[in-house]
Amino acid sequence: MVWGLRCNKCPVLMSLFADVPNYLDRREMSFTLADDVYIRYQSFKDAEEFQQELKKKCPHKIDIGAVYNHKPKERNSVAVFQPQEKELVFDIDMTDYDDVRTCCSGADICHKCWKFMTIAIKCIDDTLRKDFGFHHLLWVYSGRRGVHCWVCDAAARRLSQQARGAVAEYLQLIKGGQNQAKKVSIGAQMHPMVDADGDALLRQLLKLIPDDATRKELATSFLKLKTSKDKWEELEGVFTRNLHSGKLSRSTSPRLLEEIILQYTYPRLDIEVTKGLNHLLKAPFCVHPKTGRVCVPMEARAADKFDPMAVPTVSQLESELNEALKNQEAPPADVSQPMLTSLKPAMQLFNKFLAGLDRERSTVNKKDDPMEW
């Protein structure tokens, strides 16, 4: 389900697919229908055809895939069918933090554990811009318990699968399955993207400390402390004292404090989504079928102000639109219907993002680039 289907022309769709000849018809789109019926490898000649198919099938979810060398719907009739480009995407899900968050689990979220998403957004956004030089990053709330990032720079869209894997591996510091307690190990040189000034929940720390004497000392002192802040300060003090006095065992890293901080707070990525050109990702402005919330774009620099519980739902938007149109037959000619609702800030952010892509595309076209955007 996509917001805007009540309009003659959905502004989101028209913005996404306007002015892109020989591109949309090679882009894979997938629909998830009622009863989890999944339809892949669809393609459309233009935005109007896409919109008509949306009205006809009324999908519960839309996913976007790669741009192929041939039309996806004709893949069985060509000798070679392979992806040519795709946005560099990242998927961060709150369930991957279940071993460190203490308030919620599974699909549930609250303002306390959402801070993990805030940290993830700021870390990944900063690294992609500073270390890789990317500019066109679209962050989107997934509608339920996570966030997606679409890196849309021309250079990012044309990365090979090997290069995407290299970027994903560079960003992945948390490694190890559920049965591995300690999942961060820092070598002699700190990873270039890591900021030493972190914050962490101070729970379940003792099993991360290899040194028996330090662990036992902390286990005793923790009993006298009530707050996680006090426990962290105690851990810092005991560890630093034992480090400087040479009491730590050889198996204990001198960077243990930084490793704990990273294990508790560092972004946890599904790197297969980033690496694979054949992976699809939910389209912006979809409506999550279980929460009813719209998958709205969000600003990385204002991530700490984003409230997932305040995101508009489709029923709320319908009510707002009905109220706005109560005394008029149609909105003003220069105002689209979503702009009459609480979806307006997200639409403005999305339009600003598209304007940046338009400027890049104009520059590429002037250089007669053989790949059309």
Side-chain angles (χ1 to χ4, degrees), residues 159-192:
L159 288 175
S160 66
Q161 183 158 325
Q162 182 179 11
R164 292 167 192 265
V167 174
E169 293 290 346
Y170 179 85
L171 293 168
Q172 187 185 38
L173 297 185
I174 309 295
K175 298 180 181 180
Q178 293 182 350
N179 297 325
Q180 182 173 330
K182 190 168 180 290
K183 297 176 177 141
V184 176
S185 295
I186 299 173
Q189 183 175 357
M190 181 70 82
H191 192 286

Side-chain angles (χ1 to χ4, degrees), residues 284-297:
F285 292 100
C286 277
V287 175
H288 195 286
K290 293 185 178 180
T291 66
R293 297 177 188 145
V294 180
C295 301
V296 293

Side-chain angles (χ1 to χ4, degrees), residues 246-264:
K247 293 182 179 180
L248 292 179
S249 62
R250 291 185 178 180
S251 61
T252 304
S253 167
R255 294 183 179 272
L256 179 63
L257 296 180
E258 293 99 320
E259 291 174 346
I260 292 174
I261 290 172
L262 290 172
Q263 178 158 332
Y264 272 67

Side-chain angles (χ1 to χ4, degrees), residues 332-347:
D334 59 343
V335 177
S336 63
Q337 288 188 0
M339 289 296 191
L340 301 175
T341 71
S342 55
L343 202 60
K344 181 178 179 179
M347 288 292 299

Side-chain angles (χ1 to χ4, degrees), residues 95-157:
T95 55
D96 293 326
Y97 292 81
D98 281 353
D99 64 327
V100 294
R101 60 176 176 157
T102 58
C103 47
C104 306
S105 63
D108 295 330
I109 61 170
C110 68
H111 291 111
K112 183 178 180 180
C113 61
W114 187 256
K115 292 177 182 178
F116 285 115
M117 292 293 106
T118 300
I119 294 171
I121 291 168
K122 292 193 172 185
C123 284
I124 298 301
D125 189 88
D126 189 66
T127 301
L128 290 173
R129 292 180 188 277
K130 291 183 178 179
D131 291 6
F132 293 94
F134 295 133
H135 301 286
H136 305 290
L137 279 63
L138 180 68
W139 286 94
V140 181
Y141 170 51
S142 71
R144 191 177 191 184
R145 61 181 183 231
V147 293
H148 302 153
C149 178
W150 301 73
V151 186
C152 301
D153 298 61
R157 297 197 308 270

